[in-house]
């Protein structure tokens, strides 16, 4: 986990974007609750949404290194806040404030992966430029979806999310499971009849290793 993964301009851009896209008090109140700041930002409608966002942004900047527990694990308050903003980003949006947020994230070493079927966008740590991460990531995910390798895809997403948080042990474990699941699914795809007779993933991978099915 990185304690200060985002620069001030990126946090400010996230706050401005949040103020632009949040439409109801319920939305901002739920975000405040997830960030553990409900005792400091009034949930009532007496205070306007824009003022709530302004108060929230100031608290984040003041305590950005504080850690909190989220569904993604233990992260800094700044990271949890930026993730809240990223969830509301839309790939087709022409918003100038969203563009500024994406630019800030890119400078800080992050990319946004757009969700499908109404899934929210996700934040991921970028790899070195020579890997061409967005295109490579899209190609890998596209192939996994094309062949309906859904379990490996899920483990790949979990691995990258763990990497984004700096949780290297969890990332390694998920990558190992991803690769095992990928090889298992490839074996089932190449020869489903033979694969169905095998009892374990180790046997499926051995089926690929012995070369009898042309892998």
């Amino acid at each position: 986990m990185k304690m200060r993964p985002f620069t001030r301009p990126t946090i400010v851009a996230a706050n401005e974007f949040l103020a632009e896209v949040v439409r109801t008090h319920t939305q901002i109140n739920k975000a405040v609750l997830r960030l553990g700041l409900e005792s400091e930002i009034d949930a009532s409608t007496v205070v306007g949404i824009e003022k709530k966002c302004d108060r929230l942004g100031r608290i984040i900047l003041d305590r950005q290194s504080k850690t909190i527990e989220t569904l993604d694990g233990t992260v800094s308050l700044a990271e949890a806040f930026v993730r809240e903003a990223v969830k509301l980003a839309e790939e087709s949006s022409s918003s100038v404030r969203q563009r500024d947020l994406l630019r800030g994230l890119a400078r800080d070493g992050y990319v946004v992966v757009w969700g499908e079927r109404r899934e929210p966008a996700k934040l991921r740590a970028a790899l070195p430029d020579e890997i061409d991460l967005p295109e490579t990531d899209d190609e890998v995910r596209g192939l996994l979806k094309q062949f309906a390798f859904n379990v490996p895809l899920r483990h790949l997403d979990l691995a990258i999310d763990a990497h984004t948080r700096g949780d290297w042990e969890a990332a390694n474990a998920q990558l190992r499971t991803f690769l095992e699941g990928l090889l298992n699914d490839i074996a089932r795809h190449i020869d489903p009849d033979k694969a169905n007779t095998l009892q374990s993933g180790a046997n499926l991978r051995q089926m690929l290793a012995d070369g009898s099915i042309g892998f």
Side-chain angles (χ1 to χ4, degrees), residues 3-99:
M3 297 300 294
R4 299 178 67 91
F6 304 103
T7 58
R8 180 185 177 91
T10 298
I11 296 173
V12 171
N15 190 60
E16 292 178 343
F17 171 67
L18 200 65
E20 178 183 80
V21 298
V22 167
R23 295 285 183 265
T24 67
H25 283 275
T26 298
Q27 274 186 294
I28 189 63
N29 290 342
K30 285 183 177 179
V32 168
L33 186 64
R34 287 190 291 268
L35 294 170
L37 300 173
E38 65 275 9
S39 64
E40 300 181 63
I41 299 178
D42 191 356
S44 73
T45 58
V46 175
V47 179
I49 293 174
E50 189 169 350
K51 287 187 176 180
K52 286 184 180 181
C53 289
D54 179 72
R55 172 62 177 158
L56 179 59
R58 293 174 184 275
I59 293 174
I60 300 302
L61 286 171
D62 186 52
R63 308 176 198 169
Q64 55 188 288
S65 296
K66 177 185 175 182
T67 59
I68 65 170
E69 294 296 327
T70 72
L71 292 177
D72 296 315
T74 303
V75 301
S76 69
L77 188 58
E79 180 171 345
F81 173 70
V82 172
R83 284 177 178 266
E84 289 289 335
V86 167
K87 288 178 185 177
L88 299 176
E90 296 181 356
E91 187 173 12
S92 59
S93 174
S94 59
S95 165
V96 172
R97 289 186 172 179
Q98 177 173 304
R99 181 201 64 193

Side-chain angles (χ1 to χ4, degrees), residues 106-131:
R107 286 194 301 269
D108 291 348
Y110 289 84
V111 294
V112 170
V113 178
W114 303 108
E116 296 184 1
R117 299 178 182 178
R118 297 184 178 180
E119 291 182 355
K122 295 181 179 180
L123 186 66
R124 292 182 177 171
L127 296 176
D129 292 340
E130 64 267 18
I131 296 178

Side-chain angles (χ1 to χ4, degrees), residues 1-2 5-6 75 79 83 110-111 122-126 157-168 171:
M1 177 185 63
K2 299 179 180 179
F6 304 103
V75 301
E79 180 171 345
R83 284 177 178 266
Y110 289 84
V111 294
K122 295 181 179 180
L123 186 66
R124 292 182 177 171
D157 284 341
L158 290 173
I160 297 176
D161 286 345
H163 175 267
T164 299
R165 302 193 306 271
D167 190 345
W168 316 125

Side-chain angles (χ1 to χ4, degrees), residues 5 19 22 27 77 89 113 135 139 149 175 182:
V22 167
Q27 274 186 294
L77 188 58
V113 178
E135 290 78 7
E139 182 179 2
F149 292 171
L175 280 175
L182 176 60

Side-chain angles (χ1 to χ4, degrees), residues 141-159:
R141 291 172 58 82
L143 287 170
L144 291 171
K145 291 175 182 177
Q146 177 184 329
F147 289 100
F149 292 171
N150 297 319
V151 173
L153 175 59
R154 174 61 177 163
H155 286 294
L156 178 61
D157 284 341
L158 290 173

